[in-house]
Amino acid sequence: MNRRPARTRPRATMRTRTLPSTLAALSAIPLALTACGTGVTSDPSNSQGPEETVEVANCGRKLTFDTTPENVVGMMPSQTEMLIRLGLQDSLVGQAQTDVSTLPEDIAEKAAEVPVLSTDAPPAREDLLATAPDLVVSPTEYEFTAEQGFASIDQLNENGAQAYVATGGCADRRNTAEVTDVLADITDLGAIMRVPEEAEELSTEAEDRLSAVDEAIGGSQRPSVAQVYVEGESLSAIGAGVEADIIKRAGGDNVFDPEAPEFAEFFAAEINPEEITSRNPEAIVFGVSGPAQEEKTREYLQSTFPDVAAVENDALIAVSQADLHPGTLGNIGAVETIAEELHPGAF
């Protein structure tokens, strides 16, 4: 990437406004204690080794599985993909929010017969419970908000199901989540579903991909990066969460400080355009839901920030919004995509 040195400008004071609806939906998530990890405890009454009791700490809750779940629901395509890559497609009785992102071609074929419970939002309480699940796997706790008409975790428990939330999507982990949190999810789900070998293989592949990026960009100069989300004329800065860690792992320095008050309780904050202009990032990363939104966002950024280095250098990097969600293998793909754009000579 050819860049000229960034100009120094006075830094504006951050002024936040109401978050756009797409991001604001997640801001309603209640805080909860977070913990994650897997433990296997022998059950003396169970003579079958493979069916030893598995205990997993997840979002401050202890999940206990005496037997392997048989009816599993993926609450987002990212979770459905992970379950299928673990070889669990025969256990899936439902997939949700299917329009949020497109499954990879090899996964889409295997998911073709899995019932769709919802398309652009979490499934209604009745629709989810009708599948008689014993395990529901979700990217965040938002999918269990009873006030939105979704089945709460307590309601699932009352109906014989347990909920596993992606480690990076646990409420009080959301702002400090890291890309490697997905490795904990792979390990946990591998233990719960009694497929440890498949989990180890998938985890090793993920670690190898991250290591390859680390090796390629090691010692490279880190360009300044602003990560934004544009919805209509609303502009939000991403300053924390797994989204910010993706920028860090890709070899960029976020111009927004995750320790700033604006990001104390939520990973994003709506901003005025001058917040980008004053920081003059060398690259801008933005999440999109598809080609149409990408084109609109590029036009907005180019017309709003013509003198910002990122626009002048054509360093506007689009990433699938779905790859920025917690608990998805897409996080690793996002690191790879952004790293290749920030450090083209390293790949």
Side-chain angles (χ1 to χ4, degrees), residues 85 183 199-211 329 332 336:
R85 293 208 183 280
L183 302 179
E200 183 177 2
E201 182 178 350
L202 188 60
S203 183
T204 298
E205 179 185 346
E207 289 179 301
D208 288 346
R209 291 170 63 188
L210 289 173
S211 295
L329 295 167
I332 299 169
E336 293 170 329

Side-chain angles (χ1 to χ4, degrees), residues 10-327:
R11 176 155 296 191
T13 301
M14 177 88 74
R15 292 193 296 274
T16 59
R17 302 179 302 202
T18 304
L19 288 170
S21 59
T22 304
L23 294 176
L26 296 180
S27 66
I29 299 172
L31 292 179
L33 292 175
T34 303
C36 60
T38 306
V40 180
T41 305
S42 297
D43 182 352
S45 65
N46 186 355
S47 61
Q48 297 181 347
E51 291 299 297
E52 292 178 325
T53 297
V54 173
E55 292 183 353
V56 174
N58 180 247
C59 295
R61 298 172 292 114
K62 185 173 76 171
L63 311 184
T64 301
F65 299 87
D66 294 327
T67 59
T68 304
E70 297 180 350
N71 298 335
V72 184
V73 173
M75 292 288 272
M76 188 78 85
S78 51
Q79 275 58 49
T80 299
E81 177 188 359
M82 184 180 295
L83 290 164
I84 292 177
R85 293 208 183 280
L86 287 170
L88 302 170
Q89 58 266 27
D90 291 342
S91 298
L92 284 168
V93 295
Q95 56 180 320
Q97 304 189 79
T98 53
D99 286 354
V100 170
S101 62
T102 302
L103 287 169
E105 189 172 334
D106 61 322
I107 298 300
E109 183 178 346
K110 295 177 180 178
E113 300 301 319
V114 178
V116 174
L117 307 183
S118 66
T119 55
D120 57 359
R125 179 184 302 111
E126 298 78 9
D127 294 335
L128 178 58
L129 295 179
T131 67
D134 45 17
L135 175 64
V136 179
V137 184
S138 176
T140 71
E141 294 181 74
Y142 171 72
E143 279 76 7
F144 305 114
T145 308
E147 293 78 8
Q148 297 285 342
F150 313 145
S152 69
I153 291 177
D154 286 342
Q155 289 168 337
L156 286 172
N157 293 162
E158 291 168 1
N159 284 270
Q162 299 194 70
Y164 181 89
V165 178
T167 300
C170 293
D172 83 334
R173 174 69 176 169
R174 186 65 179 91
N175 273 28
T176 57
E178 299 177 355
V179 174
T180 51
D181 286 344
V182 71
L183 302 179
D185 298 331
I186 294 171
T187 299
D188 285 348
L189 291 172
I192 292 169
M193 298 301 298
R194 277 71 170 186
V195 288
E197 292 181 1
E198 290 83 347
E200 183 177 2
E201 182 178 350
L202 188 60
S203 183
T204 298
E205 179 185 346
E207 289 179 301
D208 288 346
R209 291 170 63 188
L210 289 173
S211 295
V213 172
D214 292 341
E215 184 177 349
I217 66 175
S220 300
Q221 184 176 355
R222 301 175 69 89
S224 60
V225 180
Q227 188 176 13
V228 301
Y229 181 78
V230 179
E231 185 176 51
E233 294 299 312
S234 173
L235 176 68
S236 296
I238 311 297
V242 69
E243 296 86 347
D245 192 56
I246 286 171
I247 298 298
K248 181 179 178 182
R249 292 296 303 245
D253 280 336
N254 199 330
V255 297
F256 294 102
D257 182 3
E259 301 298 326
E262 293 77 19
F263 307 112
E265 295 184 0
F266 196 59
F267 65 93
E270 189 171 357
I271 60 173
N272 292 313
E274 64 182 14
E275 304 297 341
I276 298 294
T277 302
S278 66
R279 288 163 172 79
N280 194 35
E282 296 172 86
I284 296 177
V285 171
F286 57 99
V288 298
S289 58
Q293 188 186 13
E294 178 178 348
E295 182 179 356
K296 279 182 155 184
T297 302
R298 284 188 185 279
E299 291 174 353
Y300 170 85
L301 295 173
Q302 290 166 346
S303 62
T304 306
F305 307 111
D307 297 325
V308 168
V311 174
E312 292 181 335
N313 296 330
D314 193 25
L316 303 179
I317 306 170
V319 180
S320 170
Q321 189 67 35
D323 288 344
L324 302 176
H325 293 156

